[in-house]
Amino acid sequence: MTPPSSDFVTALPEIGLLTVACVVLLVEAYSQSRMVAYLLTLTGLLLTSALVVVSGAGVPMLAFNGLYIDDPMGEVLKLLTCLSAIAAVIYSRQFLDDRKMLSGDYLGLLLFAVLGMLVMISASHFLSLYLGLELLSLSLYAMVAMERDSARATEAAMKYFVLGALASGLLLYGMSLIYGLTGSLELSKIAESLHYGVKSEVVLVFGLVFIVAGLGFKLGAAPFHMWAPDVYHGAPAAVTLFIGTAPKLAAFAFAMRLLVDGLQPAHGDWQQMLAVMAVASLAIGNIAAIAQTNIKRMLAYSTISHMGFLLLGMMTGSLAGYSAAMFYSVSYVLMSLGGFGMVTYLSRVGVEAENLDDFKGLNARHPWLAAIMAMVMMSMAGLPPFVGFYAKLSVLQALIGAGWISLAVVAVLFSLIGAFYYLRVVRIMYFDAPAVEDTTPTHASDAAMLLSANGLAILVLGILPQSLMTLCALSVQMSLR
Amino acid sequence: MDFPSIVFYFLSAILLLSGLRVVTAKNPVHAALALVLAFFTAAGIWILLEAEFLAITLVLVYVGAVMVLFIFVVMMLDINIEEMRKGFWSHLPLAGLVAGLMVAEMVMVLGGDRFGLTAPAAKAADYSNTKELGLLLYTDYVYAFELAAVILLVAIVAAIALTLRRKHSRKIVDPGWQSRQTATGRIRMVNMKPQHPEVKEDDA
């Protein structure tokens, strides 16, 4: 059946973004100024977020013969994805310009990556989930390798590519087993036929193992985390900033679609797997981060531990758990935009401010930047009154509500260990003598203003978390069937 | 055993053996040729499953285009396969053990009867698989089809962005700049005294 034209209206954000991405690619051929592509990228992302808001229906709506779903959770996540991509582009403008990477091809790939995320967020079919994931991953591999003269970036891209391909293979294998068992690729139909029981529980669990392993790779959760530190460390700071932020929202949506929309009847089986992955991520992430001297690597390990928290929220299988996980992913993206944004902002021509030593005595040079970074770090550590505290608190509440008290205790213990290395950054900034060479950024007031807003948002949302929490809870509730 | 089963087992045996040759052949060209054979027999198995379109595409695209390119690359690059095989025998026992365990587990879990599938009824002789696929691709799966197209576009953009090097030594002339030049800008007459070049020690 030919899709009705209303389907194309439903998918307007994706269509708009695709158009803008193609225009950004073309515009470089006809224009000498690099600012055109940059401004066009920002306009396109703004336009997409506007389209998301306008085309939102408020109730779950299927389109394209069940390949596409438009629901409130998806709309909120899409909007936030676009906004965080805008912030990432603004933070990285000066960095990219210094390294001659601010070109149509880089920005075009970035827009395609965002398109992949949007597709993942609103997928209701194994096919569209997988295609969205591949679109995102392929663009990211190329973006990591973009700094061609850097051997470190090339190595990181190679590792990312090989491990990412392996993860995609695992995921596809799991999907094909589930397809063989249920006879459908559509998530709601899979849930239905699982609900009525399948011929072999063993095959279901077998396929589930592969799906969860692939998911773990993409989230960067232990024991499938090995790529994350190398890629975060090796990639140019601007790319790390992008990889570490918006895709986490898409990964959360991906996990929700796959495990909750599609495989909810097998909840008992995947719950165990997520619990093991969550505890392993918390342990490895928090303990390995202590030993790092490179802040990008440290933040990579911190990402692993945050993904552990996110998985803890998801594994409870309750509405409270899902909305806590969503709140966690949103606040994590906000914090990590601040953290990686600061690393990108403090970098200068030829040098990346990526070592902890580069932050020594930042307070003496830039008290305001140091204050923002301190807020980000304390929020990541989970100290009140910052948003990270409420993110952790709501996950723990959901865990205790579902009766997983021992897991909650473990999570708190590892967060305490984690607080050490976050606070070490604060100590370095405030109490250590400045490094000899000055890393004064003399540029980009737009990025500085946005960084301030970002830091303040972490504080304000920490004091008044209720609106964002309600938004997450409502959108998840309205989207679950 | 009926005829299709005999054909299936025959093709499968060739497929497995050629797959094994791909990883064990010492000469990379032999490995590539074994891969061609593997694709060919896989296409045969698909024909047996009445998936003619996929089988033909496999032969046309993979055997006809991809593998020819692959063999070109293998022949042009002087790959030292012995270097890549270093440690093959020392890692073999452990790797073989893990692989054997996984195969045993998968055989135990994934029997054909686990899925409860029945063979579909054979289609009439004039049934066109290709036409059905075309109809599905452009109607029910148009969204996925377009996404696949976007992925290919990204692959092109990424390949160009990563390999196009704007070298300074490139002798390329901008046609616009070239046609804007005038006679006065092209040549400049100077009056110079003749000079004797200094004799350097290297030249002597």
Side-chain angles (χ1 to χ4, degrees), chain A residues 135-157:
Chain A
L135 187 55
L136 167 66
S137 313
L138 271 176
S139 317
L140 290 184
Y141 304 147
M143 283 166 74
V144 173
M146 212 70 161
E147 201 180 30
R148 287 177 312 195
D149 299 328
S150 152
R152 218 176 59 182
T154 313
E155 187 195 325

Side-chain angles (χ1 to χ4, degrees), chain A residues 1 65 68 148 173 199 206, chain B residues 106 113 116 140 143 162 164:
Chain A
M1 166 192 89
N65 198 32
Y68 182 101
R148 287 177 312 195
Y173 189 55
K199 194 151 187 293
F206 194 73
Chain B
M106 283 164 82
D113 54 335
D140 284 359
Y143 183 63
L162 293 182
L164 179 69

Side-chain angles (χ1 to χ4, degrees), chain A residues 12-323:
Chain A
L12 217 49
E14 281 82 1
I15 296 173
L17 187 60
L18 174 62
T19 316
V20 174
C22 293
V23 172
V24 166
L25 281 179
L26 281 177
V27 90
E28 199 181 45
Y30 297 100
S31 147
Q32 297 296 318
S33 165
R34 285 197 301 267
M35 285 309 278
V36 179
Y38 168 75
L39 290 175
L40 207 60
T41 304
L42 287 184
T43 325
L45 286 169
L46 271 177
L47 175 81
T48 312
S49 15
L51 285 175
V52 170
V53 175
V54 171
S55 72
V59 282
M61 218 161 60
L62 284 171
F64 294 111
N65 198 32
L67 269 91
Y68 182 101
I69 187 167
D70 181 28
D71 59 8
M73 183 186 81
E75 280 153 18
V76 172
L77 285 174
K78 275 186 200 177
L79 184 64
L80 293 171
T81 302
C82 288
L83 292 181
S84 78
I86 291 175
V89 170
I90 292 180
Y91 288 154
S92 53
R93 179 179 62 86
Q94 188 69 42
F95 181 94
L96 293 172
D97 206 17
D98 289 346
R99 285 158 186 75
K100 304 212 174 355
M101 281 165 66
L102 190 71
S103 55
D105 39 6
Y106 179 87
L107 292 169
L109 283 174
L110 187 141
L111 288 177
F112 280 121
V114 176
L115 178 65
M117 293 178 222
L118 299 194
V119 171
M120 278 161 78
I121 290 172
S122 60
S124 60
H125 197 276
F126 274 166
L127 212 53
S128 38
L129 269 177
Y130 178 71
L131 287 171
L133 180 66
E134 281 306 289
L135 187 55
L136 167 66
S137 313
L138 271 176
S139 317
L140 290 184
Y141 304 147
M143 283 166 74
V144 173
M146 212 70 161
E147 201 180 30
R148 287 177 312 195
D149 299 328
S150 152
R152 218 176 59 182
T154 313
E155 187 195 325
M158 201 65 204
K159 270 185 190 155
Y160 195 18
F161 179 67
V162 172
L163 288 176
L166 188 68
S168 296
L170 289 180
L171 197 65
L172 270 186
Y173 189 55
M175 283 178 175
S176 69
L177 285 173
I178 302 283
Y179 173 59
L181 208 56
T182 58
S184 176
L185 288 170
E186 208 180 318
L187 293 172
S188 55
K189 292 203 177 122
I190 290 169
E192 203 174 306
S193 63
L194 287 182
H195 183 70
Y196 290 119
V198 286
K199 194 151 187 293
S200 165
E201 285 288 323
V202 185
V203 178
L204 175 65
V205 176
F206 194 73
L208 208 54
V209 169
F210 281 94
I211 285 189
V212 170
L215 201 64
F217 256 113
K218 296 297 174 189
L219 277 171
F224 309 106
H225 64 285
M226 297 311 290
W227 60 272
D230 286 335
V231 171
Y232 279 47
H233 180 195
V239 181
T240 311
L241 161 68
F242 183 65
I243 294 182
T245 51
K248 298 298 171 203
L249 290 173
F252 165 74
F254 192 74
M256 280 296 281
R257 297 286 183 217
L258 212 50
L259 296 181
V260 181
D261 283 3
L263 301 166
Q264 177 68 31
H267 169 241
D269 295 318
W270 55 257
Q271 186 176 40
Q272 306 286 329
M273 304 177 200
L274 290 200
V276 172
M277 268 164 57
V279 172
S281 306
L282 284 170
I284 291 176
N286 280 322
I287 291 171
I290 295 174
Q292 307 307 320
T293 55
N294 181 300
I295 194 159
K296 276 155 81 187
R297 237 182 147 74
M298 188 197 96
L299 286 176
Y301 280 107
S302 118
T303 307
I304 296 171
S305 71
H306 285 296
M307 287 303 123
F309 250 101
L310 199 148
L311 288 176
L312 279 182
M314 289 204 67
M315 63 149 275
T316 57
S318 61
L319 196 64
Y322 298 146
S323 53

Side-chain angles (χ1 to χ4, degrees), chain B:
Chain B
M1 206 164 16
D2 54 348
F3 181 65
S5 305
I6 294 171
V7 176
F8 173 76
Y9 283 113
F10 177 67
L11 290 176
S12 306
I14 298 179
L15 179 60
L16 284 178
L17 284 176
S18 54
L20 208 60
R21 278 302 285 162
V22 175
V23 281
T24 55
K26 280 212 157 60
N27 187 333
V29 178
H30 291 176
L33 288 174
L35 195 55
V36 170
L37 183 63
F39 281 145
F40 218 81
T41 39
I45 291 177
W46 280 355
I47 290 264
L48 212 59
L49 293 171
E50 298 186 17
E52 306 90 17
F53 179 74
L54 282 180
I56 292 168
T57 319
L58 186 68
V59 172
L60 282 182
V61 176
Y62 277 86
V63 178
V66 175
M67 285 316 295
V68 170
L69 259 176
F70 207 84
I71 290 177
F72 266 129
V73 172
V74 167
M75 284 178 169
M76 270 189 241
L77 298 177
D78 184 23
I79 301 169
N80 188 355
I81 198 118
E82 286 308 315
E83 187 83 359
M84 289 159 65
R85 275 170 184 279
K86 217 182 264 175
F88 180 80
W89 291 108
S90 57
H91 291 307
L92 187 66
L94 185 62
L97 186 72
V98 173
L101 270 177
M102 281 181 73
V103 168
E105 280 173 2
M106 283 164 82
V107 168
M108 268 154 61
V109 172
L110 301 176
D113 54 335
R114 298 271 192 183
F115 292 96
L117 299 175
T118 47
K123 300 282 190 223
D126 60 345
Y127 175 80
S128 170
N129 198 309
T130 315
K131 193 175 163 188
E132 288 295 311
L133 263 180
L135 278 177
L136 271 184
L137 269 188
Y138 290 100
T139 54
D140 284 359
Y141 290 95
V142 68
Y143 183 63
F145 183 74
E146 294 297 331
L147 281 178
V150 176
I151 290 180
L152 288 181
L153 178 64
V154 167
I156 297 172
V157 173
I160 295 175
L162 293 182
T163 52
L164 179 69
R165 286 184 180 268
R166 292 193 180 82
K167 280 186 185 168
H168 297 295
S169 57
R170 218 164 46 137
K171 305 274 189 295
I172 193 166
V173 183
D174 177 11
W177 176 85
Q178 205 172 19
S179 62
R180 278 198 303 275
Q181 299 312 305
T182 56
T184 48
R186 201 175 295 146
I187 191 164
R188 186 162 60 97
M189 302 299 285
V190 289
N191 194 5
M192 287 175 77
K193 280 181 189 165
Q195 285 182 336
H196 295 289
E198 286 177 41
V199 179
K200 286 180 187 164
E201 283 176 31
D202 309 0
D203 301 338

